[in-house]
Amino acid sequence: MTTHEDRAGLKVAGELITLIEQDVLPGLGLDAATFWAGAATIFERFAPENRALLERRDALQAQIDDWHLARRGQPYDVGASEGFLREIGYLVDEPAAFSIGTEGVNAEIAQMAGPQLVVPVLNARFLLNAANARWGSLYDALYGTDALGDLPAGGGYDAARGARVVARAKAFLDEAAPLAEGSHADVGGWSVVDGALSPALKDAGQFVGFTGEAGAPASILLAHNGLHIELVMDRSHPVGRGDAAGLADVVLESALTTIVDLEDSVAAVDAADKAEAYRNWLGLMRGDLSATFKKGGETLTRALEPDRQWTAADGSSVILKGRSLLFVRNVGHLMTTPAIRLADGSDAPEGIMDAIMTSLIALYDIKGLGGFGNSATGSVYIVKPKMHGPDEAAFTDRLFDAVEDLLALPRHAIKVGVMDEERRTSANLAACIHAVKDRIVFINTGFLDRTGDEIHTAMQAGPVVRKADIKSSAWITAYEARNVAIGLKCGLSGKAQIGKGMWAAPDRMADMLEQKIAHPRTGANTAWTPSPTAATLHVLHYHAVDVFAVQKEVAVEPTPGLEALLTPPLAPDLANGVNWSEDEVAAELDNNAQGILGYVVRWIDQGVGCSKVPDIHDIGLMEDRATLRISSQHIANWLLHGVCTADQVDAAFLRMAAKVDGQNAGDPLYRPMAANPEASLAYQAARALVFEGVEQPNGYTEPLLHAWRLRAKAAQSA
């Protein structure tokens, strides 16, 4: 049982007190009483405003619902919709032309373009893998995935496949760092003579440094499009032994940045969970996080990688970071937490607590008290998700001001990344950026959550199209294009990231290589990948595309208007009902129900917030609450409009429970659902997400997931 103690009028859970007062504050030289008093002042000031912003969301949605109900049966009129949304204050006037004023931003964010990882804070091993993913082996990434078009056969090293890997890697080198004459495939050896690389590069300026002896370097460091490439020579290595130049690997600078996630990818529902999350963030900021695990019968310990060093052509040292630059994603404005209770007895807004605690812990980095540096500019990088419109962005700006004052930080030392993943934000994006214009370092199109919010906002307008068809809707194209165009018009290029969403299929790297190049081609200077290996492959796209040159081209193009963005993906024949067959409806329900159950059963029973979940076709997809939001809202919409019945939905859930049970048969921690669904809390939670979906605030899944997870934890402890 969690116990709470008084701290400056706050009731603080014992787990959080122990962490803050024993492990965090002493190392920073801060007084506990002063800290808690300052925190209490922040909660007293901002908690009422937080509640008012949530009430405003509900009021706007109620007005939108009423407007759609009054027009039921009529064709959707986007012009009338825009006028109505302006009338109620959902849409605001565009700000006058401006450019963001953010200063003190790390080069990985402002001047470089490359992949970004998102990693759950509750898994220390995954955290370290992601933090260390700044550098990755191209040979390993090509050999161990389907990037070459097929998967490796088992039974030891396949020399023929290895030769294909080497050929592909050297073809990449010919493109990214061509020689003055010939091909990398023909190089018989490397040397550094009088500060110059031999054989010579077409652009001698791409040579950055080397390790080992100049006459026979152990490695050579090259640069291209602001990214680094390391050629590793080792003639004793099985691959290097058979290579004329002794080339044993090509190592690429890969995940430039990583988001340490306290939000969508974790199941943190109580004080114990939050304390564990903060403790892992503390380990990263102090540099002492480690993880011990067994692999192949061997016990291994993982820790943070040190910086990397080479000798430059002039004999000086070249030192590059060995780790990804870390953001931390706080939760949004919606949820409250029992880790702290306010003076009136209510649970504290979790987003306010996250802002205080993650910034406090980041002082270890800012003050140089950690074993490894994260930000070289004295900045804390916080990603803020699920904000609705400029008022909520302005609230975050004022909250961060107050946290800076509490921690004696300079103004705007706390930077913000704005997730453009709610309809009211994407429709008012310039105004949202303006609200945080002196601390913004990131905008990102969270198209999964954005789709969930699109369905919920238009819930009363009519039935939406099938889920797969939503991806080709005009509003998504407009959303993605407007995000980049508006970001560039607001001066983000060279100062901040413009990001794109996740590649959700970690086992389909060949498809990713073919498709995800579209992201840098839009002018986005980062995009999410599901693993360090995927980051090493995705970075090939940033060598192929000069993103900052693309941004210059996009910046002069007109910004797409609001018409397509404000047109929801409604089924076309509303007057005569939907025209899907019974089989099509059943297939859609099965697809959605399987995805919901496959994700929720791990969330509720095991506390796993993000994992590779087999879909209905047994393809592993990275699932989190955003994908869950779409599936649950989709069925809720079809139920509301009579496309399907409750009996059909329940039948789909029962069918898919059996399928999900089979997909998880090899997991010793798994609790089957199909044999006794009434006794399965996970099954009941999944069902509630659909049958109570219309009433959920903005279609979010967190309130129900938290409630059912708390019940499961209580049952497990009992």
Side-chain angles (χ1 to χ4, degrees), residues 37-56:
T41 299
I42 289 176
F43 280 113
E44 183 180 14
R45 175 184 169 191
F46 288 97
E49 189 175 351
N50 198 134
R51 285 191 288 268
L53 289 169
L54 297 180
E55 290 168 0
R56 174 67 170 153

PDB file of all heavy atoms in Angstrom, residues 37-56:
ATOM      1  N   ALA A  37       8.133  23.359  -1.224  1.00  0.00           N
ATOM      2  CA  ALA A  37       7.340  24.592  -1.126  1.00  0.00           C
ATOM      3  C   ALA A  37       7.164  25.222  -2.509  1.00  0.00           C
ATOM      4  O   ALA A  37       6.069  25.682  -2.867  1.00  0.00           O
ATOM      5  CB  ALA A  37       8.016  25.569  -0.172  1.00  0.00           C
ATOM      6  N   GLY A  38       8.230  25.222  -3.294  1.00  0.00           N
ATOM      7  CA  GLY A  38       8.130  25.766  -4.643  1.00  0.00           C
ATOM      8  C   GLY A  38       7.233  24.930  -5.530  1.00  0.00           C
ATOM      9  O   GLY A  38       6.451  25.466  -6.329  1.00  0.00           O
ATOM     10  N   ALA A  39       7.333  23.612  -5.387  1.00  0.00           N
ATOM     11  CA  ALA A  39       6.466  22.732  -6.175  1.00  0.00           C
ATOM     12  C   ALA A  39       5.005  22.947  -5.813  1.00  0.00           C
ATOM     13  O   ALA A  39       4.125  22.983  -6.679  1.00  0.00           O
ATOM     14  CB  ALA A  39       6.868  21.277  -5.958  1.00  0.00           C
ATOM     15  N   ALA A  40       4.724  23.090  -4.512  1.00  0.00           N
ATOM     16  CA  ALA A  40       3.345  23.314  -4.060  1.00  0.00           C
ATOM     17  C   ALA A  40       2.782  24.599  -4.645  1.00  0.00           C
ATOM     18  O   ALA A  40       1.599  24.667  -5.027  1.00  0.00           O
ATOM     19  CB  ALA A  40       3.301  23.350  -2.531  1.00  0.00           C
ATOM     20  N   THR A  41       3.619  25.627  -4.740  1.00  0.00           N
ATOM     21  CA  THR A  41       3.178  26.895  -5.325  1.00  0.00           C
ATOM     22  C   THR A  41       2.811  26.722  -6.794  1.00  0.00           C
ATOM     23  O   THR A  41       1.818  27.284  -7.282  1.00  0.00           O
ATOM     24  CB  THR A  41       4.285  27.954  -5.175  1.00  0.00           C
ATOM     25  OG1 THR A  41       4.552  28.163  -3.778  1.00  0.00           O
ATOM     26  CG2 THR A  41       3.876  29.269  -5.814  1.00  0.00           C
ATOM     27  N   ILE A  42       3.601  25.932  -7.520  1.00  0.00           N
ATOM     28  CA  ILE A  42       3.309  25.685  -8.933  1.00  0.00           C
ATOM     29  C   ILE A  42       1.984  24.944  -9.084  1.00  0.00           C
ATOM     30  O   ILE A  42       1.142  25.301  -9.922  1.00  0.00           O
ATOM     31  CB  ILE A  42       4.467  24.910  -9.588  1.00  0.00           C
ATOM     32  CG1 ILE A  42       5.696  25.818  -9.722  1.00  0.00           C
ATOM     33  CG2 ILE A  42       4.056  24.377 -10.974  1.00  0.00           C
ATOM     34  CD1 ILE A  42       6.929  25.123 -10.276  1.00  0.00           C
ATOM     35  N   PHE A  43       1.763  23.908  -8.279  1.00  0.00           N
ATOM     36  CA  PHE A  43       0.492  23.182  -8.355  1.00  0.00           C
ATOM     37  C   PHE A  43      -0.688  24.093  -8.010  1.00  0.00           C
ATOM     38  O   PHE A  43      -1.734  24.049  -8.672  1.00  0.00           O
ATOM     39  CB  PHE A  43       0.509  21.975  -7.418  1.00  0.00           C
ATOM     40  CG  PHE A  43       1.232  20.782  -7.965  1.00  0.00           C
ATOM     41  CD1 PHE A  43       2.411  20.334  -7.386  1.00  0.00           C
ATOM     42  CD2 PHE A  43       0.738  20.111  -9.071  1.00  0.00           C
ATOM     43  CE1 PHE A  43       3.077  19.233  -7.890  1.00  0.00           C
ATOM     44  CE2 PHE A  43       1.396  19.006  -9.592  1.00  0.00           C
ATOM     45  CZ  PHE A  43       2.569  18.564  -8.999  1.00  0.00           C
ATOM     46  N   GLU A  44      -0.521  24.919  -6.988  1.00  0.00           N
ATOM     47  CA  GLU A  44      -1.608  25.820  -6.582  1.00  0.00           C
ATOM     48  C   GLU A  44      -1.958  26.794  -7.702  1.00  0.00           C
ATOM     49  O   GLU A  44      -3.133  27.107  -7.934  1.00  0.00           O
ATOM     50  CB  GLU A  44      -1.197  26.596  -5.326  1.00  0.00           C
ATOM     51  CG  GLU A  44      -2.276  27.504  -4.785  1.00  0.00           C
ATOM     52  CD  GLU A  44      -1.835  28.252  -3.536  1.00  0.00           C
ATOM     53  OE1 GLU A  44      -0.621  28.269  -3.240  1.00  0.00           O
ATOM     54  OE2 GLU A  44      -2.707  28.832  -2.853  1.00  0.00           O
ATOM     55  N   ARG A  45      -0.952  27.231  -8.426  1.00  0.00           N
ATOM     56  CA  ARG A  45      -1.181  28.208  -9.493  1.00  0.00           C
ATOM     57  C   ARG A  45      -1.741  27.557 -10.750  1.00  0.00           C
ATOM     58  O   ARG A  45      -2.672  28.103 -11.377  1.00  0.00           O
ATOM     59  CB  ARG A  45       0.141  28.918  -9.811  1.00  0.00           C
ATOM     60  CG  ARG A  45       0.056  29.871 -10.995  1.00  0.00           C
ATOM     61  CD  ARG A  45       1.410  30.475 -11.318  1.00  0.00           C
ATOM     62  NE  ARG A  45       1.386  31.189 -12.590  1.00  0.00           N
ATOM     63  CZ  ARG A  45       2.475  31.641 -13.223  1.00  0.00           C
ATOM     64  NH1 ARG A  45       3.673  31.461 -12.689  1.00  0.00           N
ATOM     65  NH2 ARG A  45       2.359  32.281 -14.372  1.00  0.00           N
ATOM     66  N   PHE A  46      -1.206  26.400 -11.137  1.00  0.00           N
ATOM     67  CA  PHE A  46      -1.492  25.861 -12.466  1.00  0.00           C
ATOM     68  C   PHE A  46      -2.556  24.773 -12.495  1.00  0.00           C
ATOM     69  O   PHE A  46      -3.156  24.547 -13.553  1.00  0.00           O
ATOM     70  CB  PHE A  46      -0.198  25.348 -13.110  1.00  0.00           C
ATOM     71  CG  PHE A  46       0.733  26.442 -13.547  1.00  0.00           C
ATOM     72  CD1 PHE A  46       1.795  26.843 -12.744  1.00  0.00           C
ATOM     73  CD2 PHE A  46       0.536  27.102 -14.752  1.00  0.00           C
ATOM     74  CE1 PHE A  46       2.650  27.858 -13.131  1.00  0.00           C
ATOM     75  CE2 PHE A  46       1.377  28.122 -15.152  1.00  0.00           C
ATOM     76  CZ  PHE A  46       2.442  28.512 -14.341  1.00  0.00           C
ATOM     77  N   ALA A  47      -2.799  24.073 -11.389  1.00  0.00           N
ATOM     78  CA  ALA A  47      -3.797  22.998 -11.428  1.00  0.00           C
ATOM     79  C   ALA A  47      -5.190  23.513 -11.792  1.00  0.00           C
ATOM     80  O   ALA A  47      -5.881  22.885 -12.614  1.00  0.00           O
ATOM     81  CB  ALA A  47      -3.822  22.247 -10.095  1.00  0.00           C
ATOM     82  N   PRO A  48      -5.663  24.631 -11.232  1.00  0.00           N
ATOM     83  CA  PRO A  48      -6.982  25.130 -11.637  1.00  0.00           C
ATOM     84  C   PRO A  48      -7.043  25.491 -13.125  1.00  0.00           C
ATOM     85  O   PRO A  48      -8.055  25.238 -13.793  1.00  0.00           O
ATOM     86  CB  PRO A  48      -7.184  26.363 -10.752  1.00  0.00           C
ATOM     87  CG  PRO A  48      -6.299  26.140  -9.568  1.00  0.00           C
ATOM     88  CD  PRO A  48      -5.105  25.428 -10.108  1.00  0.00           C
ATOM     89  N   GLU A  49      -5.976  26.077 -13.646  1.00  0.00           N
ATOM     90  CA  GLU A  49      -5.954  26.436 -15.066  1.00  0.00           C
ATOM     91  C   GLU A  49      -5.941  25.182 -15.939  1.00  0.00           C
ATOM     92  O   GLU A  49      -6.578  25.141 -16.992  1.00  0.00           O
ATOM     93  CB  GLU A  49      -4.735  27.306 -15.367  1.00  0.00           C
ATOM     94  CG  GLU A  49      -4.755  27.888 -16.776  1.00  0.00           C
ATOM     95  CD  GLU A  49      -3.613  28.858 -17.053  1.00  0.00           C
ATOM     96  OE1 GLU A  49      -2.886  29.228 -16.103  1.00  0.00           O
ATOM     97  OE2 GLU A  49      -3.446  29.241 -18.225  1.00  0.00           O
ATOM     98  N   ASN A  50      -5.228  24.159 -15.476  1.00  0.00           N
ATOM     99  CA  ASN A  50      -5.206  22.886 -16.195  1.00  0.00           C
ATOM    100  C   ASN A  50      -6.619  22.320 -16.305  1.00  0.00           C
ATOM    101  O   ASN A  50      -7.069  21.898 -17.379  1.00  0.00           O
ATOM    102  CB  ASN A  50      -4.286  21.908 -15.449  1.00  0.00           C
ATOM    103  CG  ASN A  50      -3.848  20.733 -16.290  1.00  0.00           C
ATOM    104  OD1 ASN A  50      -2.661  20.369 -16.309  1.00  0.00           O
ATOM    105  ND2 ASN A  50      -4.769  20.089 -16.965  1.00  0.00           N
ATOM    106  N   ARG A  51      -7.350  22.342 -15.192  1.00  0.00           N
ATOM    107  CA  ARG A  51      -8.727  21.838 -15.199  1.00  0.00           C
ATOM    108  C   ARG A  51      -9.607  22.664 -16.125  1.00  0.00           C
ATOM    109  O   ARG A  51     -10.465  22.130 -16.849  1.00  0.00           O
ATOM    110  CB  ARG A  51      -9.293  21.829 -13.785  1.00  0.00           C
ATOM    111  CG  ARG A  51      -8.759  20.699 -12.908  1.00  0.00           C
ATOM    112  CD  ARG A  51      -9.543  20.582 -11.620  1.00  0.00           C
ATOM    113  NE  ARG A  51      -9.264  21.680 -10.699  1.00  0.00           N
ATOM    114  CZ  ARG A  51      -8.326  21.647  -9.767  1.00  0.00           C
ATOM    115  NH1 ARG A  51      -7.566  20.567  -9.606  1.00  0.00           N
ATOM    116  NH2 ARG A  51      -8.142  22.676  -8.964  1.00  0.00           N
ATOM    117  N   ALA A  52      -9.415  23.972 -16.129  1.00  0.00           N
ATOM    118  CA  ALA A  52     -10.228  24.847 -16.979  1.00  0.00           C
ATOM    119  C   ALA A  52      -9.980  24.564 -18.461  1.00  0.00           C
ATOM    120  O   ALA A  52     -10.913  24.603 -19.281  1.00  0.00           O
ATOM    121  CB  ALA A  52      -9.925  26.311 -16.658  1.00  0.00           C
ATOM    122  N   LEU A  53      -8.737  24.262 -18.819  1.00  0.00           N
ATOM    123  CA  LEU A  53      -8.430  23.942 -20.210  1.00  0.00           C
ATOM    124  C   LEU A  53      -9.119  22.649 -20.642  1.00  0.00           C
ATOM    125  O   LEU A  53      -9.607  22.538 -21.780  1.00  0.00           O
ATOM    126  CB  LEU A  53      -6.916  23.821 -20.403  1.00  0.00           C
ATOM    127  CG  LEU A  53      -6.126  25.133 -20.337  1.00  0.00           C
ATOM    128  CD1 LEU A  53      -4.632  24.842 -20.282  1.00  0.00           C
ATOM    129  CD2 LEU A  53      -6.451  26.042 -21.516  1.00  0.00           C
ATOM    130  N   LEU A  54      -9.185  21.677 -19.754  1.00  0.00           N
ATOM    131  CA  LEU A  54      -9.868  20.421 -20.070  1.00  0.00           C
ATOM    132  C   LEU A  54     -11.375  20.636 -20.198  1.00  0.00           C
ATOM    133  O   LEU A  54     -12.034  20.031 -21.059  1.00  0.00           O
ATOM    134  CB  LEU A  54      -9.570  19.374 -19.005  1.00  0.00           C
ATOM    135  CG  LEU A  54      -8.094  18.964 -18.870  1.00  0.00           C
ATOM    136  CD1 LEU A  54      -7.928  17.920 -17.772  1.00  0.00           C
ATOM    137  CD2 LEU A  54      -7.544  18.438 -20.193  1.00  0.00           C
ATOM    138  N   GLU A  55     -11.924  21.502 -19.363  1.00  0.00           N
ATOM    139  CA  GLU A  55     -13.353  21.828 -19.469  1.00  0.00           C
ATOM    140  C   GLU A  55     -13.644  22.524 -20.796  1.00  0.00           C
ATOM    141  O   GLU A  55     -14.694  22.310 -21.415  1.00  0.00           O
ATOM    142  CB  GLU A  55     -13.772  22.710 -18.294  1.00  0.00           C
ATOM    143  CG  GLU A  55     -13.780  21.965 -16.956  1.00  0.00           C
ATOM    144  CD  GLU A  55     -13.911  22.897 -15.759  1.00  0.00           C
ATOM    145  OE1 GLU A  55     -13.991  24.142 -15.976  1.00  0.00           O
ATOM    146  OE2 GLU A  55     -13.911  22.408 -14.617  1.00  0.00           O
ATOM    147  N   ARG A  56     -12.715  23.356 -21.241  1.00  0.00           N
ATOM    148  CA  ARG A  56     -12.864  24.027 -22.535  1.00  0.00           C
ATOM    149  C   ARG A  56     -12.884  23.009 -23.672  1.00  0.00           C
ATOM    150  O   ARG A  56     -13.682  23.122 -24.613  1.00  0.00           O
ATOM    151  CB  ARG A  56     -11.716  25.020 -22.718  1.00  0.00           C
ATOM    152  CG  ARG A  56     -11.645  25.702 -24.084  1.00  0.00           C
ATOM    153  CD  ARG A  56     -12.793  26.627 -24.322  1.00  0.00           C
ATOM    154  NE  ARG A  56     -12.586  27.432 -25.529  1.00  0.00           N
ATOM    155  CZ  ARG A  56     -13.563  27.932 -26.264  1.00  0.00           C
ATOM    156  NH1 ARG A  56     -14.830  27.718 -25.931  1.00  0.00           N
ATOM    157  NH2 ARG A  56     -13.287  28.658 -27.329  1.00  0.00           N
TER     158      ARG A  56
END
